[in-house]
Amino acid sequence: MRLFHVSEESDICVFEPRIPTRQDLDPNTGLVWAIDEKRLPNFLTPRDCPRVAYYATNETTLEDKKRFFSSFSISHCIVIENRWLDRLRNTTLYLYEFDPQAFVLQDEIAGYYVATITQRPIARYQLNDVLGELVKRNIEIRITDYLWDIADDVKKSTLNWSLCRMAFASPRP
């Protein structure tokens, strides 16, 4: 298993545990967050880019595969707002890879892993063409003017999904 942290910062040498802001996590335990390789594409966008990410599983119905993907060769999709496309094209991202030994699974669907001790990356990769990286990973990319309808639809589907940075999405009408 490979674990990563994605950042727009190029020079992170040490990852210190931070107190989580999520209400469902212990506010007394600092965490270093990582993402597994399967769900890494969900984070191959600028940090604050609102997005709806979803992927098919063995439990995904044929109807949902037809509805949410343009081809049966695709099983993972990232949807962003059109106002973020230029930023996506022009952002450089850095992948920091961790030794997975100190990490434990925090959320299986999202692919989140956490460690409670300081982490030093074992490798760093620079991604200058983020859109190309998504295409290379066979990720369907959808561009829309508004995320909330697809977010509502995918939550009712048999897909696994993640809504990221939706506080930055265009508001509901």
Side-chain angles (χ1 to χ4, degrees), residues 56-85:
T57 69
N58 291 337
E59 288 77 41
T60 302
T61 65
L62 182 59
E63 179 181 292
D64 281 346
K65 287 179 183 178
K66 287 180 181 178
R67 180 176 180 203
F68 289 97
F69 297 103
S70 64
S71 165
F72 281 111
S73 68
I74 302 287
S75 63
H76 196 143
C77 183
I78 308 294
V79 186
I80 67 168
E81 293 179 339
N82 53 23
R83 65 190 178 96
W84 283 87
L85 182 57

Side-chain angles (χ1 to χ4, degrees), residues 6-10 45-48 87 91-94 96:
V6 181
S7 180
E8 292 178 45
E9 294 180 41
S10 64
T45 67
R47 177 175 173 79
D48 289 333
R87 181 127 180 243
T91 295
T92 296
L93 293 177
Y94 300 88
Y96 294 91

Side-chain angles (χ1 to χ4, degrees), residues 43-156:
F43 293 88
L44 296 183
T45 67
R47 177 175 173 79
D48 289 333
C49 177
R51 58 207 177 268
V52 175
Y54 54 87
Y55 63 94
T57 69
N58 291 337
E59 288 77 41
T60 302
T61 65
L62 182 59
E63 179 181 292
D64 281 346
K65 287 179 183 178
K66 287 180 181 178
R67 180 176 180 203
F68 289 97
F69 297 103
S70 64
S71 165
F72 281 111
S73 68
I74 302 287
S75 63
H76 196 143
C77 183
I78 308 294
V79 186
I80 67 168
E81 293 179 339
N82 53 23
R83 65 190 178 96
W84 283 87
L85 182 57
D86 282 341
R87 181 127 180 243
L88 178 74
R89 287 181 176 141
N90 296 308
T91 295
T92 296
L93 293 177
Y94 300 88
L95 302 183
Y96 294 91
E97 186 170 2
F98 295 120
D99 178 343
Q101 191 171 17
F103 287 84
V104 296
L105 181 64
Q106 193 276 329
D107 183 323
E108 186 173 0
I109 291 175
Y112 296 153
Y113 285 76
V114 293
T116 56
I117 59 175
T118 299
Q119 297 295 311
R120 295 185 187 281
I122 59 172
R124 182 190 70 118
Y125 308 95
Q126 183 172 325
L127 306 180
N128 296 316
D129 178 9
V130 177
L131 196 56
E133 290 293 328
L134 289 167
V135 170
K136 184 168 56 175
R137 289 172 166 81
N138 202 34
I139 307 301
E140 184 166 332
I141 302 133
R142 292 189 177 189
I143 312 297
T144 186
D145 60 340
Y146 178 77
L147 288 175
W148 293 104
D149 290 337
I150 187 71
D152 292 342
D153 288 346
V154 79
K155 286 194 282 187
K156 298 176 207 166

